[in-house]
Amino acid sequence: MRARSALAVAALSALVLTLPVTTASAVPATPATPAALPVGPGQATAPAGFVPLGITRALDTRSYRENPAGAARKLQPGESFDVPLSNWKNHPPRELPVVPADATAVVVNVTATNTTADGYLTARRDGDMPGAPLTSTLNFKAGETVSNLITVAVDPRGAGTSPQINVYNNAGTTDVVVDILGYYAPSTPQRPTQKYDAIRPVRLGDTRVEGGRLGSGSVLTANVARRDLGTADARAVVLNVTAVDPSTEGFVVAHPSSSPLPAEGSHLNYGPGRTVANQVVVPVGPDGVIEFFNTGSTDLVIDIVGYYGPSGHNLYRAMTEQGRLLDTRQSSSQLAFSTRRLPVAGVSGVPGDATSVTLNVTVTEPRADGHLEVFGSDDPGYRPGTSNLNFNAGQTVANGVTTYLGGDPGAVDIYHHSAGRSQLIADLTGYFVEG
């Protein structure tokens, strides 16, 4: 798990390719996410635009300097921990708000590390609700370091303080790191926000095809602000980043090439033999180029799914309580090499005019290695040739997904690229509407 920076030393050219990501090794099973039937209509925050940030740390339970509790301590089994969206670097720890009081939702990268048992974390708005959460954010095995990006509606705390979210730990003791990547809020003259537009997923880079495997200190570059993609004026982009067949422990940090490597934080953590993906939201500098700094030995795959910018058309509404849209454990597992259509518009409080959706998608009990492709249900037989989530046989793994909605009413297709059956879970975190 990353705790400090290192120097970037080499660069590779960006590519436009369409080779899916697959996995190759089996891993013993981890506990599944909570079982829950689909929820009824939920509430959503007011429509808001996006303010991108560089990686900003809100919590690191390993350090008393970055913990609102003022002490280094792990989360305990069944513990709900409130996380003010602030920075805590001063000594003694003092709250320095990062997310303003009028924010509606926050985009955070949540990491579990130093785990002692198989379990899961849930990032949510309100930790005062009784019992364990009905959804989960990321799943881990004992000893693993796992990250996942999620968008969470925030809990306001009053004037002079930043809003907060809550992190729930299911089992064992674990350290937790929360990095803020941006937030949603009303646009003001002093704080203009950006609107979102989705694009059909496009592969920007794949070192398995060109450039070669990345070593420690290597940098992969990708031009993300491009007229041919419709992203020429992007101020931030939404990517899916995958470390493929790593041979060492390591992490990846994404940042604008015009800005220095962040002093702390990471977007993707990986271990030997474990192909892992994570969604990434990163600001775009004036040259439109993003750098991906790598610390271990791995191949890297970069897919783009959308952008925020002046030409965007859509505002975001976060669900105040995350809801389960799909759980095949309640019916039947997903067949090998099959596509499932998941209705979204008009379900669980999502209006019929929603244009895109944010989900947390989980695979559990897979009988073979594989990957998922999640995309808007447009043309019969269409698949983007990219990937959102990779899994090994017997592994439970989750990843955040942002995708446009296709069809009428809006739906997403989930293509299950695996030679065996799997159980699929999809939790709704929010949606976009024109505004």
Side-chain angles (χ1 to χ4, degrees):
M1 172 61 203
R2 184 183 190 228
R4 57 184 63 86
S5 66
L7 295 177
V9 296
L12 297 171
S13 298
L15 315 169
V16 180
L17 304 163
T18 56
L19 185 65
V21 179
T22 57
T23 57
S25 60
V27 177
T30 64
T33 65
L37 294 173
V39 299
Q43 293 184 329
T45 59
F50 185 65
V51 178
L53 301 173
I55 297 177
T56 304
R57 182 142 295 173
L59 172 69
D60 187 343
T61 60
R62 300 168 300 178
S63 169
Y64 75 93
R65 292 179 180 272
E66 297 177 309
N67 191 334
R73 71 169 187 85
K74 301 170 78 171
L75 266 62
Q76 301 301 302
E79 181 178 5
S80 287
F81 192 86
D82 288 334
V83 183
L85 299 170
S86 300
N87 192 276
W88 302 88
K89 286 184 179 238
N90 287 19
H91 177 65
R94 180 169 62 90
E95 184 172 359
L96 304 173
V98 173
V99 175
D102 62 346
T104 59
V106 66
V107 179
V108 291
N109 201 55
V110 180
T111 303
T113 190
N114 299 323
T115 55
T116 61
D118 299 354
Y120 62 85
L121 296 180
T122 302
R124 54 182 176 169
R125 178 181 185 268
D126 187 0
D128 293 332
M129 298 183 63
L134 297 180
T135 61
S136 60
T137 299
L138 62 85
N139 299 77
F140 51 80
K141 289 181 61 62
E144 277 189 341
T145 294
V146 181
S147 300
N148 195 12
L149 179 143
I150 189 169
T151 305
V152 187
V154 301
D155 187 7
R157 295 193 296 151
T161 60
S162 61
Q164 67 181 21
I165 60 172
N166 180 269
V167 177
Y168 171 85
N169 177 42
N170 157 252
T173 63
T174 181
D175 279 309
V176 177
V177 179
V178 176
D179 292 322
I180 304 169
L181 305 182
Y183 62 88
Y184 293 92
S187 186
T188 68
Q190 297 76 27
R191 188 196 58 211
T193 61
Q194 307 298 323
K195 294 183 180 181
Y196 179 75
D197 269 356
I199 64 173
R200 283 195 171 191
V202 174
R203 182 141 292 174
L204 298 178
D206 187 340
T207 63
R208 299 171 301 174
V209 177
E210 186 171 335
R213 191 175 183 86
L214 299 180
S216 178
S218 296
V219 174
L220 176 68
T221 64
N223 184 356
V224 298
R226 291 169 27 191
R227 191 173 301 277
D228 63 314
L229 295 177
T231 61
D233 66 346
R235 301 294 187 268
V237 288
V238 183
L239 310 168
N240 200 69
V241 180
T242 307
V244 183
D245 194 24
S247 59
T248 66
E249 297 280 345
F251 60 82
V252 175
V253 184
H255 66 99
S257 65
S258 56
S259 301
L261 184 71
E264 61 183 353
S266 59
H267 289 98
L268 176 68
N269 292 271
Y270 57 80
R274 182 165 60 95
T275 294
V276 61
N278 199 20
Q279 189 170 223
V280 172
V281 177
V282 59
V284 177
D287 63 356
V289 176
I290 300 298
E291 292 185 351
F292 301 87
F293 174 73
N294 174 61
T295 66
S297 175
T298 187
D299 278 304
L300 202 65
V301 174
I302 312 296
D303 299 326
I304 184 170
V305 301
Y307 76 100
Y308 299 89
S311 65
H313 298 86
N314 299 283
L315 300 174
Y316 185 70
R317 304 191 69 181
M319 305 305 296
T320 55
E321 183 178 351
Q322 299 160 22
R324 184 142 291 175
L325 295 179
L326 172 69
D327 188 343
T328 62
R329 296 173 299 177
Q330 307 293 335
S331 53
S332 60
S333 57
Q334 189 71 22
L335 297 176
F337 304 109
S338 64
T339 299
R340 177 180 292 264
R341 180 150 296 176
L342 178 63
V344 177
V347 178
S348 294
V350 180
D353 61 352
T355 59
S356 297
V357 66
T358 59
L359 306 169
N360 199 60
V361 179
T362 304
V363 169
T364 190
E365 302 172 22
R367 298 182 183 178
D369 301 350
H371 70 265
L372 297 184
E373 299 177 31
V374 185
F375 51 97
S377 58
D378 275 345
D379 306 323
Y382 165 75
R383 284 173 43 210
T386 55
S387 60
N388 295 93
L389 183 155
N390 294 76
F391 53 87
N392 299 127
Q395 182 184 30
T396 296
V397 60
N399 197 21
V401 172
T402 302
T403 181
Y404 65 94
L405 296 174
D408 186 17
V412 299
D413 283 345
I414 304 174
Y415 175 68
H416 176 239
H417 183 97
S418 178
R421 290 174 176 262
S422 299
Q423 301 288 1
L424 306 183
I425 298 165
D427 295 328
L428 173 69
T429 58
Y431 60 89
F432 292 89
V433 292
E434 287 197 30

